[in-house]
Amino acid sequence: MKPLKRRDFLKYAGAGLSTIIIGCSNSSSSGGGGVILPPDDDPGDDPGPVQPGLPVDTLRFTITDAIKEMITHEPENPGAGAAECYFWVFKEDRFPADNPGPQIFAFEGDLIALEVTNALDGPHAFTIPGMVDTGPIAPGETVEMEFTAETAGTYLYQDNLNAPVNRVMGLHGAFVVIPTAAAAGHKLTPYAAPTPAVQALFDDFGTAPWWPGLAWDEGDEATGTAPARQYVWLTHEASPVLFEEVGLFARNNPGQDFSASDFIEAFTNDPFINTSNDPRTGTSADFPVKAQEQVTLADGTITTRGVFNRKPHFFTVNGRSGFFAHHNPAITPMHRVGEPTVIHILNAGLATHSMHLHANHFFVTAINNAPQENPIWVDVFNIFPMDHVDYTIPLIRPPDIPNERGIGRADPGLPTLVGRSTWPPFTELGMSNPRIGTILATDFAGTGTVDMGALQSPLCYPMHDHSEASQTAQGGNYNCGLISGLYLFGDRNTPGAMDFELDAEFQMMIDRGRSIGESGPPTGGWPDEDVTPV
């Protein structure tokens, strides 16, 4: 297997999210740098050998704050409260302020220069446990240091002061260290010291008859398939009421910490109040009064809106939620059958998540960077606060597809009642929902109509949290919360089915993902606004 190169990650990893590939940035303090390139535009050359004793790249963070637009059912509905949240953030010079900070990929042994400036009112810090720790940084001060990405694994960079307040307020991000080479006679895994069982699993991918297709570290230039396919799911939950309270306290009491115990109590146990802003809802004997207040809008209109408690209102994965998470190709794996992939899951919040994946069972190959002696094969697993868990997905045929030998096998499908085969599911993929011509809607310009029929392709399967509250926003609005999925757009193990015909919106989404900057701005520059919506 050929060595894994930084250029492979520059081309593929993190499309559609703020992502830094250490050593591929070509950046300055004003931004710039590489963009994701379609396979045909690959410049071909690796960035070159690392110079001994010199940093491969420089990370320049400012610890600051930002207000972020969140996802709810109706952001413009004043009765629901503003769909916005105040955060403390790690802003890296190459990207706008956002929560979480950019996801960072480095290779084992990379020497990295770090500059962290504290622009907030109290002391803050930057740490990657076991790797680097700035210690407290006073307001207005900058700390400069160097560190080495020593051991392959997935880490949470964070502010560890006044734990968990500073971290949960938004000062966190994902840092992934990739091994540089496989053990002699073996295929590459994501781990420095895989157990025999984990190594055997990765050795089998692409070789054993039960895992046909590509190995995990094997790419395919002809089909634009990346090697070492991996994603980050960084989970978090946000309380706009509590976060605003902490921000105001910090501004009015410079240098003082908001009580961590009070923060945890409010975040996890704040009493229920009858917040409902839906006029169809009433009161009860237990909650006879709706918690509401009168507010004056910017245009002078006086209206009534709900008063929310300090528990989390928004639940995110990589800072996104709802539609903007499960339609983001940097969050939701979109692959062919036979292209195994790894999901690195980190929990930066205070809630336990139970991440359930449809379409494929997955192997739990590592917990807190410890490769497992016996990686279990399940479809749901708990992610406790501050845990890191790896899901390794074999990308077999979905088990609900009937075929000759059963679950997931690369066999001929069974005949259908219309004389076709259950696999590839061309009958279903060629259908639209709703049917073409059934529903027409006026376009945004008001000058014509748009057919709402959408092709049922690719095959879309959800990933959702069995801790059901996280699937909501502002106390309701299911499917506006922490959700992703697994989308299948082809099968490299079945002749004639390498690529399914895709719905036009999905094709556009994938194409757009390839023009997003990884270590710099998108081609054409950032939009005018400085706050990135989820």
Side-chain angles (χ1 to χ4, degrees):
M1 199 67 65
K2 66 180 182 179
L4 197 60
K5 294 184 177 182
R6 297 178 197 275
R7 178 65 64 188
D8 294 323
F9 279 85
L10 182 63
K11 284 172 53 183
Y12 298 109
L17 290 179
S18 299
T19 302
I20 295 173
I21 315 299
I22 293 296
C24 284
S25 61
N26 301 317
S27 63
S28 66
S29 60
S30 60
V35 297
I36 297 173
L37 302 172
D40 292 343
D41 295 330
D42 181 10
D45 296 326
D46 197 65
V50 174
Q51 299 299 315
L54 295 179
V56 178
D57 209 336
T58 300
L59 299 172
R60 297 182 176 91
F61 285 105
T62 300
I63 298 173
T64 184
D65 55 3
I67 293 177
K68 180 172 181 173
E69 181 183 353
M70 309 302 288
I71 294 303
T72 185
H73 69 310
E74 186 61 77
E76 302 303 322
N77 180 356
E84 295 177 340
C85 190
Y86 173 83
F87 288 95
W88 290 342
V89 299
F90 284 120
K91 181 191 179 302
E92 214 279 336
D93 276 5
R94 286 162 275 199
F95 296 98
D98 196 6
N99 165 262
Q103 57 186 26
I104 303 169
F105 290 86
F107 281 81
E108 276 186 312
D110 281 350
L111 180 64
I112 302 168
L114 176 68
E115 300 176 10
V116 184
T117 299
N118 181 8
L120 293 178
D121 301 300
H124 289 277
F126 177 99
T127 184
I128 303 174
M131 202 173 300
V132 63
D133 190 344
T134 64
I137 305 173
E141 296 296 317
T142 297
V143 169
E144 300 182 14
M145 57 198 315
E146 295 178 353
F147 69 98
T148 300
E150 292 183 344
T151 305
T154 304
Y155 303 87
L156 187 75
Y157 66 83
Q158 59 179 292
D159 179 355
N160 61 341
L161 301 183
N162 195 29
V165 177
N166 295 1
R167 181 190 84 242
V168 176
M169 283 289 295
L171 288 170
H172 60 258
F175 187 88
V176 180
V177 181
I178 304 161
T180 54
H186 293 284
K187 296 179 182 178
L188 188 71
T189 79
Y191 314 111
T195 61
V198 169
Q199 184 66 70
L201 175 66
F202 281 82
D203 285 347
D204 281 352
F205 284 143
T207 302
W210 46 88
W211 302 132
L214 298 178
W216 176 70
D217 61 344
E218 183 182 5
D220 181 5
E221 286 281 344
T223 58
T225 306
R229 294 165 292 279
Q230 55 192 308
Y231 296 77
V232 170
W233 286 348
L234 174 51
T235 68
H236 187 227
E237 54 272 357
S239 168
V241 178
L242 181 59
F243 287 11
E244 180 182 31
E245 182 180 331
V246 173
L248 291 173
F249 179 90
R251 186 183 69 183
N252 296 329
N253 303 275
Q256 294 186 37
D257 287 336
F258 190 92
S259 168
S261 60
D262 289 350
F263 183 92
I264 294 171
E265 179 64 23
F267 200 74
T268 58
N269 295 317
D270 215 29
F272 174 83
I273 56 176
N274 188 2
T275 298
S276 178
N277 53 71
D278 189 330
R280 295 170 297 179
T281 61
T283 59
S284 68
D286 293 327
F287 300 98
V289 179
K290 285 189 177 184
Q292 295 180 331
E293 63 181 358
Q294 280 197 333
V295 294
T296 302
L297 304 181
D299 62 2
T301 303
I302 298 176
T303 188
T304 299
R305 70 179 181 192
V307 177
F308 287 82
N309 67 12
R310 295 177 292 175
K311 285 186 175 181
H313 302 179
F314 303 105
F315 301 85
T316 62
V317 53
N318 296 5
R320 274 63 172 162
S321 55
F323 176 92
F324 295 90
H326 63 71
H327 280 69
N328 188 321
I331 298 174
T332 295
M334 300 181 186
H335 292 290
R336 301 172 186 85
V337 171
E339 297 176 353
T341 190
V342 175
I343 313 292
H344 306 294
I345 307 175
L346 304 95
N347 186 347
L350 295 179
T352 297
H353 298 294
S354 187
M355 314 280 269
H356 170 56
L357 181 66
H358 292 233
N360 269 210
H361 280 48
F362 51 82
F363 292 93
V364 179
T365 48
I367 300 175
N368 296 327
N369 289 327
Q372 297 298 284
E373 294 292 338
N374 180 25
I376 58 175
W377 193 42
V378 293
D379 66 357
V380 63
F381 197 77
N382 284 342
I383 317 294
F384 296 99
M386 293 299 288
D387 268 2
H388 311 164
V389 176
D390 280 0
Y391 289 3
T392 295
I393 309 172
L395 265 292
I396 61 174
R397 191 180 299 177
D400 59 345
I401 305 294
N403 61 15
E404 288 185 355
R405 286 186 295 168
I407 294 178
R409 297 294 191 182
D411 295 346
L414 300 182
T416 68
L417 294 177
V418 296
R420 303 190 73 174
S421 174
T422 56
W423 189 266
F426 290 136
T427 299
E428 292 80 4
L429 293 171
M431 299 173 66
S432 294
N433 187 18
R435 292 184 177 181
I436 298 296
T438 303
I439 300 178
L440 299 179
T442 303
D443 62 22
F444 287 117
T447 58
T449 59
V450 176
D451 196 307
M452 299 302 291
L455 197 65
Q456 293 185 161
S457 179
L459 299 178
C460 300
Y461 292 84
M463 183 288 296
H464 59 104
D465 183 5
H466 277 185
S467 300
E468 296 295 338
S470 75
Q471 301 303 282
T472 69
Q474 291 187 325
N477 319 312
Y478 201 85
N479 196 32
C480 289
L482 193 166
I483 188 169
S484 179
L486 177 64
Y487 297 170
L488 302 176
F489 62 81
D491 181 359
R492 63 174 52 252
N493 299 325
T494 299
M498 178 68 80
D499 294 305
F500 302 150
E501 180 185 357
L502 291 182
D503 176 76
E505 291 185 359
F506 273 92
Q507 187 65 61
M508 178 180 66
M509 175 177 60
I510 294 174
D511 293 343
R512 179 180 179 275
R514 291 188 178 276
S515 68
I516 299 295
E518 285 192 330
S519 295
T523 52
W526 294 112
D528 293 335
E529 63 270 16
D530 192 43
V531 177
T532 304
V534 295

